[in-house]
Amino acid sequence: MRYVLPSLAASVLFGPFNVSAIAQWKNLTDAQRMDLVGTVKSVSLISTRTDVAWQQPGGPSLVFPALCSECEFDPDGNQIKSGQTLDGSFRGEFTRLVRDANGRVTEHFIEDASTGEMIRHELVGPYGKTEESSYSHGVLQSRVSCNYDQFGHLVARLTLDSDGNQKALTIVHASQDGNDTEEWDWGEDGQVTLHFRQTFDPKTKVEHFTAFNPFGGVNLTWTLIGGELISFWEPPDARSQFGDNFSEDVGNDTFENYDCHGDGTCTLSHIHYVYLDAKRRNPLSVEWRDEAGNLRVASYYKYDIDVYGNWTNRKIRVWSASLGENKLYEIDSRSITYW
């Protein structure tokens, strides 16, 4: 199914995380989820942003943040430390792992590095996290539970407040190969307030998306057939809202992005990625072009790679018509130790 984006999101790759995508990570370690390879023990990052004024449109990201500022991992790739050092003091989290008789991790106890208080407790099953309880000064704040199908795909995510009242619920129907065919999302007062519904028929390639307001009325709806937008509707006076910006993976590391408006018109653009390696771990360039093929904005990466295949230094340059040339946007240097 499509990647639906908040219209103003520019700091993450695809906006709200499609819950079935989480299941695709089930065979990866924490270190691998951060695009690290090898038996990484620790990472320490220094990141410097220049004063270049550059902003991309809402949609798939052109600048990828470094995912780990100051992290540590056990020999199996489980994260046991996360945060950063400010004014000489580490601020972040420590994770204590509990294993069963076979050595499989079954629980995470996450503590605040400054106070030593437990802030989260997580239960872990064969396909991933099954329950997460969040605390503040020892008092339960919320609880999240996750259910998986027999193939390991995440099919339900329920969020409760401290009194057990439902805050949010997402239900996904997925095929055996992990492709979503239907997704329902409830927000606050989840029993009565449907946030959106999205369906996809893999045979006909027909996809529908509908977003609802708190009173059950339709806020927005669109239909794609074979990846082509057939219809779009939202109230003429509607402000930019969830669902009016979405991206379609058309293959060959290319996405088509639709930015739609209350008058029924949609602006189509194309985002093409070139990667350093076949596993698409590190981008070399990301170019965002309009429907006519004119370059609108772009980012370009240069790396120093260590013998394990992880970058230790990268420079990100950006381009836009207003800049007129590629300019240095960010410099990231990181020290990596290995087991």
Side-chain angles (χ1 to χ4, degrees), residues 32-62:
Q32 289 169 338
R33 294 185 184 110
M34 295 184 179
D35 278 337
L36 296 167
V37 295
T39 54
V40 174
K41 182 177 183 180
S42 67
V43 177
S44 181
L45 171 75
I46 298 176
S47 184
T48 303
R49 180 75 57 84
T50 69
D51 59 358
V52 171
W54 176 88
Q55 185 174 0
Q56 69 162 75
S61 280
L62 277 67

Side-chain angles (χ1 to χ4, degrees), residues 276-303:
L276 181 65
D277 48 43
K279 293 185 177 181
R280 299 181 175 91
R281 292 179 50 241
N282 300 304
L284 280 175
S285 66
V286 189
E287 295 185 330
W288 189 305
R289 298 180 182 272
D290 62 22
E291 190 170 4
N294 301 307
L295 187 63
R296 297 177 60 192
V297 288
S299 61
Y300 302 95
Y301 295 73
K302 185 176 181 180
Y303 302 92

Side-chain angles (χ1 to χ4, degrees), residues 141-257:
Q141 301 296 304
S142 63
R143 178 172 285 115
V144 177
S145 62
C146 300
N147 293 326
Y148 303 82
D149 66 16
Q150 60 181 321
F151 307 109
H153 308 131
L154 182 62
V155 295
R157 179 183 174 91
L158 171 66
T159 302
L160 305 174
D161 64 18
S162 58
D163 295 322
N165 301 310
Q166 181 172 302
K167 294 182 62 180
L169 172 65
T170 299
I171 301 292
V172 176
H173 296 162
S175 59
Q176 183 173 343
D177 58 7
N179 291 320
D180 297 351
T181 59
E182 189 168 4
E183 180 173 348
W184 300 73
D185 183 86
W186 290 263
E188 296 292 333
D189 301 323
Q191 292 288 353
V192 295
T193 305
L194 180 63
H195 184 203
F196 71 84
R197 177 177 183 257
Q198 189 170 4
T199 63
F200 176 67
D201 187 329
K203 293 182 179 179
T204 62
K205 306 299 181 183
V206 175
E207 180 166 3
H208 297 289
F209 177 90
T210 304
F212 301 90
N213 62 38
F215 307 103
V218 174
N219 261 358
L220 172 153
T221 184
W222 48 255
T223 299
L224 291 129
I225 300 179
E228 181 180 352
L229 185 65
I230 302 301
S231 65
F232 174 86
W233 178 88
E234 68 177 349
D237 58 349
R239 295 183 177 181
S240 184
Q241 61 177 316
F242 177 83
D244 63 14
N245 191 313
F246 50 95
S247 292
E248 159 82 2
D249 184 350
V250 297
N252 194 32
D253 297 325
T254 301
F255 290 81
E256 291 184 346
N257 191 77

